[in-house]
Amino acid sequence: MGAIPTQRETASHLSGAPPHTAGASAQDLGRAHVALLGSSLAPGAARAMVRAALADWCARGLPGTEQLTEHLAADVLVVVSELVTNAVVHAGTDVEVVCLMEETGTVVVETADHHPSRAPRGGDDETPADPSEYGRGLRLVAALSEAWGITYRPGTKTVWARLPAAGRETAADAGGDAVTAEQIEAYAGREGPWTGHGPDARPWTEAAGEPPADGGCADAADTGLRGLRDREWLGRGALSFLAEASDLLAGQLDEDLVASLTGQLVVPRLADWCGVWLEDESLGRGAWSDEPGTAVGARLARVWHAGEGHIDELRLALEKDPPRARDPWRSGPVGHPWPGDALGTQGAALAYRLVAGGRPLGTLVIGRAGAAGFPDEITGLVEDLSRRVALAIGAARQYARQATISAVLQRGLLPGAVAEIPGVRSALVYEPRDKGGPSGDFYDLFPAGDGRWCFAVGDVQGKGPEAAVVIGLARPWLRLLAREQYGVPDVLDRLNQLLLDDATEAADAAARALVAVGGPPVAPGDGPQTRFLSLLYGELEPFEGGVRCTLASAGHPLPLLLAPDGAVRAVAAPQTLLGVVEDAAYTSETFELRSGETLLCVTDGVTERRSGSRQFDDGDGLAAALAGCAGLDAGLVAERIRRLVHEFGPRPPEDDLALLVLQAE
């Protein structure tokens, strides 16, 4: 047996790359640390700490700072912002931030929170913590880092990321100069206009008084730091930037997330600020009004600025002056008015139409301070990026449309409400595995007239549209036959024949279509005729002191009856699936549900829940779980079984879950 790790367990996201540990120290390493409250202000405070630390290390000439380029400094700020945002949003505790510089120039960022049981999210359904701070999971961190991972200690979870110096070479070898302390303070994520010139340039602060109207040193920025950044990006980073952008944008299923991620990709690498408008494509080409300052069906989805202090003012200015109407299919950027009232500087702004699949989807506007404006290479790079952004927005909208259709279809396949039965308490758990599509499981509980109520729990073979077709046939027919006073066996007989007839008609139609186009004939067993349905169907008749229950199981997990003393037994016999055998004759069983007794009906998502090679119902596991529910009311029984099913395996259930609990009062 190997040694048990008593201090920590580490998960690394790069094979063979050991994580950095906060407890390790090396001589002459730069190290900065800050503890922050878990609020929306934490990311900005962490960035300020890192900016100050990098400037201090450069001023002191610590080993490794000769490798620190402006590109690396900007990436470090992005990574610390993402890690702190993830910790605040998904842990909700105070956050400790550590930044270290090694002699090789590698920068290590660590964030520790106090919620170790909740791992950071990787991009599914992210939720913004604040309009100005959007967590994007760890995709951006993974794209910028050499390695990243998670270190677990008792009561603490630390997420770390290593950002190496480019190619382990100096900035001068890379085609530029090493960044200086003054440059870091003046440029990297600066919070406002500059004051002073040359080496004395510093971010403007309230203590320095009002900033100059033109930004003070726009010319110095254009000829110095801005040129350094452009050379580095255009010389080595353009292709990798577009590749990273494509990876980050691909698979995003929310257009607002795409807009937010676009802002983080553009600023500060390519522009000082940007805004993303999204249009209502249902309005067509007339979404923008010809009246100045008026937009119809368009909204400013995202505003991003290198200095967070300017975001609110910039948003107000851009909302007052949206992009003007023009040919949406015209390629390339067009000029956009500079929001001087909000920024207090002079500069250039460009607008790019976002078009995908022949549909105008929005507009990307970018701005850069200074008289030099945008080099042609930068405008071309942003044009390539805008195409990728448009494709991502189009894909997100297509997914949203499909999800809406699926949600509407799903609501139509399930009852709007579950009937209340005199003398019977009921509880239901329904969890489709695919939240965006129709489930293969369904349920129903409805009055059938003459003091009778009927219930059904079913599971269709397969998922998606094919399953929806079967449910769309089965559930209305169940209600119709029950209200026509057909007994339980007769309902199953007729539903079985209905499914067989429908499958035969569908197969014949498919065969005729293939013959019409000269295709090969359909072989027996092929085509859409394999529409099988497992169903548990029953009828309830309340009487004084209990409920008479008649039910039948057609290829479905058998219902279990729980007595008040904890005894559990099955109350139906297994029979053939519906839609398989012609002229099948189904039978039913009748029993009395006495006061305090509980009937549990489930789908195979419960009984076949897996953990490795084991299933939840192995060794009568479901019966044992139900026996432990003796004395609980219907709602608690349903919740306990649901929880046990989820806890049975380390991963979420891989099938739909449905269970119905009926309990005699």
Side-chain angles (χ1 to χ4, degrees), residues 253-312:
L253 302 179
D254 185 289
E255 61 182 61
D256 288 317
L257 297 184
V258 173
S260 182
L261 194 55
T262 300
Q264 298 187 49
L265 289 168
V266 171
V267 179
R269 296 176 176 180
L270 304 177
D272 293 327
W273 59 266
C274 80
V276 180
W277 277 263
L278 296 178
E279 299 177 15
D280 183 352
E281 58 184 318
S282 65
L283 299 179
R285 297 182 59 179
W288 291 106
S289 171
D290 293 331
E291 182 180 348
T294 302
V296 178
R299 61 185 177 87
L300 184 56
R302 188 65 169 129
V303 175
W304 195 267
H305 195 287
E308 286 85 352
H310 291 294
I311 290 179
D312 292 337

Side-chain angles (χ1 to χ4, degrees), residues 89-183:
V89 173
H90 305 307
T93 68
D94 294 348
V95 182
E96 296 185 18
V97 184
V98 176
C99 184
L100 302 140
M101 170 164 279
E102 300 178 352
E103 294 182 0
T104 60
T106 294
V107 179
V108 179
V109 177
E110 299 179 350
T111 60
D113 61 65
H114 303 285
H115 199 317
S117 63
R118 186 184 302 174
R121 300 176 64 174
D124 296 329
D125 301 326
E126 303 291 346
T127 303
D130 182 85
S132 297
E133 293 293 350
Y134 289 80
R136 290 295 161 269
L138 296 179
R139 293 175 178 169
L140 195 55
V141 173
L144 296 178
S145 305
E146 174 189 49
W148 69 274
I150 310 165
T151 300
Y152 291 95
R153 298 182 180 89
T156 305
K157 179 181 84 270
T158 300
V159 184
W160 54 268
R162 295 174 55 89
L163 291 85
R168 295 286 187 259
E169 57 191 1
T170 65
D173 295 333
D177 298 325
V179 69
T180 65
E182 287 79 6
Q183 290 171 338

Side-chain angles (χ1 to χ4, degrees), residues 40-63:
S40 61
L41 301 178
R47 288 191 294 271
M49 182 275 287
V50 172
R51 279 195 295 269
L54 295 179
D56 176 64
W57 298 340
C58 289
R60 291 193 287 145
L62 292 185

Side-chain angles (χ1 to χ4, degrees), residues 564-586:
D565 61 0
V568 176
R569 63 185 177 91
V571 287
Q575 299 181 80
T576 307
L577 285 166
L578 297 174
V580 177
V581 179
E582 189 84 20
D583 297 327
Y586 291 91

Side-chain angles (χ1 to χ4, degrees), residues 542-619:
F543 64 90
E544 188 68 26
V547 180
R548 183 174 296 102
C549 180
T550 302
L551 54 74
S553 174
H556 202 80
L558 300 181
L560 299 178
L561 182 65
L562 171 65
D565 61 0
V568 176
R569 63 185 177 91
V571 287
Q575 299 181 80
T576 307
L577 285 166
L578 297 174
V580 177
V581 179
E582 189 84 20
D583 297 327
Y586 291 91
T587 60
S588 63
E589 298 186 24
T590 300
F591 62 94
E592 291 183 351
L593 193 64
R594 293 291 182 175
S595 177
E597 292 185 330
T598 301
L599 182 67
L600 174 64
C601 311
V602 303
T603 60
D604 61 10
V606 173
T607 57
E608 297 179 5
R609 165 76 161 119
R610 302 192 68 87
S611 177
S613 60
R614 298 182 301 119
Q615 293 186 353
F616 185 77
D617 199 32
D618 286 350

